[in-house]
């Protein structure tokens, strides 16, 4: 991850840039700021999870200082029982509270899968009991953390009716999408990208900053190849686009930001702009979110395509630990550039 | 101490539950039903006795075998029959089957999902919300003996105990998890002993004695409301029909059923009310008749009710 490449101002207008310097936050600080501001704003917002209270403040320190500031009534350490406390969060949400549940790692969300996809996700459709919780899931790899601390399980949840799924790529969206998720009256899975936590800094608007759920963002304009991606791979795609620009290949880079519901119009607009589409995500490619994006483009923009839709994702193997193996598993800027170059020449 | 009026009310609610259940079973066996249904026969004293010990502001998460609890909390019989028949005016607007998804927060009822005991942690969370908001309310839920084998049973009770949640768990030990008898589910005589591992009270009561269930629940509810944490109540009973309407329960020894038939919670309670001079048999017969008419009217209205419009199938997936 080359932070210098990705710490641009992400499309914020020049007029806003005077405030940029003092409002540059790391991705992880932006998440913490969203939590703190929403807890201050709404007494119904609380935090639950393993080891989230002070003095420890969470495995990644996202919640550090919050129980000191708001008390342990609002920052609840949970026993090591994800299924149980996700269910409890659903009960609290049914009563109108807005729990933000921290999974220590996204990998462990499978322990709570039943309660998420069966109970929380179906509830409103079945009997109109709203479940306004957020589950924060620290995901993604590249950190040499092995099969159980590197996963990207978003596709499981995109497939479950009744959930919303978001995956911010920038500090601004880390804050804005978390605020939107907390205020949403539905269960939202918020996939935060571990490799971006401290490597990525960027401008974050002060105060109330909401990134609407369901709206993608164009991160770079280009006429030759469209790269559609999300999460940490947005920055790999931008790095690849910069490499290709030197060669005269201009890439359009679309950050999906929300994986469910997909911003179909933005996807189709980006695809039809160049007619050559590469879809990238860290999660394994097979039946991943990219498959749905590819199907959408094939169904609704086939006549605009000048090349087969290309997809780049993780391999269909458990995520390996050893650096040569993990690097072989995982998409990166060089692989993206290679595939985009081939598409440009098609 | 229950007044005579309250004791007659308990009888009425159990009788209404039985009348609904009998009509439901007859209707489904007669081929006029839709999907599966679960009879509560034999469990009436549990859902009525426990539900009666709650205040209206308390929240209950009943399961599929707790018909009486839905009725007691004010869910109109027609809404329940309409739900069972997939009609637009059913509790779930045709979205969910039988007593699944029959939640209504206006009645402080949380809807059920098939995955037992998934209502258990949800009810614990409801109770935690009362602690969070410093409200003197209680959450109560039901599971069967089968659910007590799930890991989530442990996760939930441990969490409730650690959080000192104002929560009551009723275990309806009806001897069988579908076709599997207790002897193949656990190596203990009383599930209630497991309460000790959470440092909470656990009691065993006769699940066919409505006043015993009421008294035990009232004690637990008062304890919870006072801020002293959760309790577990194991109600021993017998599932008198199959797991669901399709199941003849041939695997249950007939002698065992005959033995429990003598302990029918409604018949024995009627005899007790008469013996203790609370009501005479004519009065009780009149209540039974009134209940039969009430549920027959409800079924007729539900059967006349329209199905949901197919065009609404995608409506209401997300809360606005």
């Amino acid at each position: 991850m080359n932070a210098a490449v990705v710490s641009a101002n992400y499309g914020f207008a020049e007029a806003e840039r005077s405030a940029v310097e003092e409002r540059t936050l790391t991705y992880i600080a932006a998440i913490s700021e969203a939590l703190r501001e929403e807890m201050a704003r709404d007494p119904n917002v609380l935090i639950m999870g393993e080891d989230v209270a002070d003095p420890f403040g969470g495995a990644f320190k996202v919640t550090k200082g919050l129980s000191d500031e708001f008390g342990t009534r609002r920052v609840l350490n949970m026993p090591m029982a994800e299924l149980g406390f996700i269910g409890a969060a659903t009960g609290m949400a049914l009563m109108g509270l807005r729990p933000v549940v921290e999974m220590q790692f996204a990998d462990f969300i499978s322990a709570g899968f039943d309660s998420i996809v069966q109970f929380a996700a179906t509830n409103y459709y079945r009997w109109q009991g709203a479940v306004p919780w957020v589950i924060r899931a620290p995901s993604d790899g590249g950190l040499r953390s092995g099969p159980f601390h590197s996963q990207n399980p978003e596709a499981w949840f995109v497939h479950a009716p009744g959930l919303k799924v978001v995956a911010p790529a920038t500090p601004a969206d880390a804050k804005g999408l978390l605020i939107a998720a907390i205020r949403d009256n539905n269960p939202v899975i918020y996939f935060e990208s571990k490799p971006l936590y401290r490597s990525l800094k960027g401008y974050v608007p002060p105060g109330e900053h909401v990134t609407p759920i369901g709206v993608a963002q164009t991160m770079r304009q280009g006429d030759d190849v469209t790269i559609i991606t999300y999460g940490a791979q947005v920055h790999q795609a931008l790095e690849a686009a910069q490499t290709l620009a030197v060669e005269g290949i201009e890439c359009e880079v679309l950050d999906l930001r929300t994986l469910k519901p997909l911003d179909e119009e933005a996807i189709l607009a980006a695809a039809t702009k160049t007619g050559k589409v590469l879809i990238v995500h860290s999660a394994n490619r097979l039946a991943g979110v990219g498959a749905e994006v590819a199907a959408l483009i094939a169904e609704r923009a086939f006549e605009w395509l000048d090349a087969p839709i290309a997809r780049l994702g993780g391999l269909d193997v458990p995520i390996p630990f050893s650096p040569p193996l993990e690097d072989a598993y995982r998409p990166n800027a060089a692989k993206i550039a290679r595939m985009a170059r081939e598409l440009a020449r098609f | 101490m229950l007044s005579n009026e309250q004791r007659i009310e308990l009888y009425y609610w159990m009788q209404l539950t039985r009348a609904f259940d009998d009509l439901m079973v007859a209707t489904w066996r007669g081929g006029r039903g839709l999907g599966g249904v679960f009879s509560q026969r034999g469990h009436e004293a549990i859902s009525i006795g426990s539900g009666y010990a709650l205040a209206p502001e308390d929240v209950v998460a009943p399961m599929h075998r707790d018909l009486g609890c839905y009725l007691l909390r004010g869910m109109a019989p027609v809404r329940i029959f309409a739900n069972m028949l997939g009609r637009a005016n059913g509790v779930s607007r045709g979205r969910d089957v039988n007593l699944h998804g029959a939640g209504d927060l206006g009645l402080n009822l949380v809807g059920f999902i098939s995955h037992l005991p998934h209502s258990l942690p949800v009810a614990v969370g409801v109770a935690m919300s009362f602690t969070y908001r410093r409200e003197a309310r209680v959450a109560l839920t039901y599971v069967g003996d089968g659910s007590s084998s799930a890991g989530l049973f442990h996760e939930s009770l441990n969490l409730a105990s650690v959080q000192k949640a104002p929560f009551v768990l009723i275990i309806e030990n009806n001897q069988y998890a579908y076709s599997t008898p207790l002897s193949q589910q656990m190596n203990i005589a009383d599930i209630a002993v497991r309460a000790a591992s959470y440092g909470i009270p656990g009691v065993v009561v006769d699940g066919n004695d409505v006043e015993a269930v009421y008294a035990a629940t009232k004690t637990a509810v008062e304890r919870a409301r006072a801020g002293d944490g959760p309790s577990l109540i194991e109600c021993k009973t017998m599932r008198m029909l199959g797991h669901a309407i399709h199941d003849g329960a041939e695997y249950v020894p007939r002698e065992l059923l005959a033995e429990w038939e003598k302990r029918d919670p409604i018949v024995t309670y009627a005899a007790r009310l008469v013996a203790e001079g609370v009501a005479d048999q004519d009065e009780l017969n009149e209540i039974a008749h009134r209940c039969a008419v009430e549920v027959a009217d409800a079924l007729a209205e539900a059967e006349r009710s329209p199905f949901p419009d197919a065009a609404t199938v995608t409506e209401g997936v997300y809360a606005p």
Side-chain angles (χ1 to χ4, degrees), chain A residues 91-241:
Chain A
M92 297 178 98
L94 281 171
M95 294 295 106
L97 298 179
R98 294 183 181 270
V100 182
V101 182
E102 177 175 303
M103 290 289 100
Q104 203 147 67
F105 287 82
D107 313 60
F108 304 146
I109 202 170
S110 52
F113 192 71
D114 243 357
S115 197
I116 296 168
V117 306
Q118 304 289 0
F119 206 120
T122 65
N123 214 66
Y124 192 76
Y125 187 70
R126 293 183 308 117
W127 59 276
Q128 297 178 299
V131 182
W133 57 231
V134 180
I135 295 179
R136 288 181 35 242
S139 60
D140 213 345
L143 303 171
R144 316 317 186 193
S145 303
F148 305 113
H149 294 74
S150 308
Q151 294 174 18
N152 297 279
E154 61 269 16
W156 296 345
F157 300 99
V158 170
H159 198 66
L163 296 176
K164 295 185 181 182
V165 181
V166 299
T170 67
D173 285 342
K175 179 177 179 184
L177 278 172
L178 184 50
I179 292 177
I182 290 169
R183 296 182 188 183
D184 198 282
N185 288 326
N186 296 281
V188 182
I189 317 275
Y190 174 96
F191 284 100
E192 56 197 50
S193 207
K194 297 198 302 287
L196 302 182
Y197 270 161
R198 291 178 175 83
S199 70
L200 179 66
K201 288 184 177 169
Y203 172 66
V204 179
E208 179 138 336
H209 168 63
V210 182
T211 303
I213 292 174
V215 182
Q217 184 177 31
T218 303
M219 302 298 278
R220 184 185 175 107
Q221 306 263 1
D223 293 322
D224 299 319
V225 175
T226 296
I227 305 173
I228 300 175
T229 184
Y230 56 88
Q233 293 299 334
V234 167
H235 307 290
Q236 300 298 314
L238 289 170
E239 193 178 322

Side-chain angles (χ1 to χ4, degrees), chain B residues 233-291:
Chain B
I233 300 167
E234 178 184 2
C235 300
K236 308 262 197 197
T237 188
M238 179 70 204
R239 196 190 69 209
M240 299 305 290
L241 295 176
H243 168 68
I245 193 76
H246 65 274
D247 174 24
E250 293 80 7
Y251 45 82
V252 179
R254 299 297 107 171
E255 311 78 60
L256 182 62
L257 287 172
E259 189 187 308
W260 280 90
E261 191 64 45
K262 291 181 209 148
R263 297 175 56 188
D264 182 286
I266 301 175
V267 174
T268 54
Y269 196 51
R272 182 170 166 190
L273 292 180
V274 171
E276 295 180 12
V278 176
D280 61 33
Q281 191 58 51
D282 286 348
E283 246 177 297
L284 299 183
N285 290 346
E286 191 272 329
I287 289 173
H289 180 66
R290 183 150 50 90
C291 290

Side-chain angles (χ1 to χ4, degrees), chain B residues 46 49-51 53-54 140 168 170 212-222 233 235:
Chain B
I46 299 174
S50 56
L54 295 169
L140 178 148
V168 179
I170 308 281
V213 175
Y214 169 79
T217 310
K218 195 161 174 52
T219 301
V221 166
E222 280 169 3
I233 300 167
C235 300

Side-chain angles (χ1 to χ4, degrees), chain A residues 200-280:
Chain A
L200 179 66
K201 288 184 177 169
Y203 172 66
V204 179
E208 179 138 336
H209 168 63
V210 182
T211 303
I213 292 174
V215 182
Q217 184 177 31
T218 303
M219 302 298 278
R220 184 185 175 107
Q221 306 263 1
D223 293 322
D224 299 319
V225 175
T226 296
I227 305 173
I228 300 175
T229 184
Y230 56 88
Q233 293 299 334
V234 167
H235 307 290
Q236 300 298 314
L238 289 170
E239 193 178 322
Q242 200 161 50
T243 304
L244 292 170
V246 176
E247 303 170 19
I249 298 168
E250 292 297 336
C251 295
E252 177 97 355
V253 178
L254 182 71
D255 173 9
L256 290 173
R257 303 202 287 189
T258 296
L259 308 181
K260 185 178 189 139
L262 283 171
D263 186 347
E264 297 188 352
E265 295 317 310
I267 291 167
L268 294 171
T272 55
K273 183 175 178 187
T274 67
K276 294 179 175 179
V277 179
L278 170 62
I279 303 161
V280 182

Side-chain angles (χ1 to χ4, degrees), chain A residues 48-50 78-90 101-104, chain B residues 121 152 155 159:
Chain A
M48 306 165 68
E50 291 158 8
M78 287 290 112
M80 200 193 76
E82 288 85 356
L83 183 61
F85 69 73
I86 287 173
T90 298
V101 182
E102 177 175 303
M103 290 289 100
Q104 203 147 67
Chain B
L152 188 53
E155 292 190 20
L159 179 61

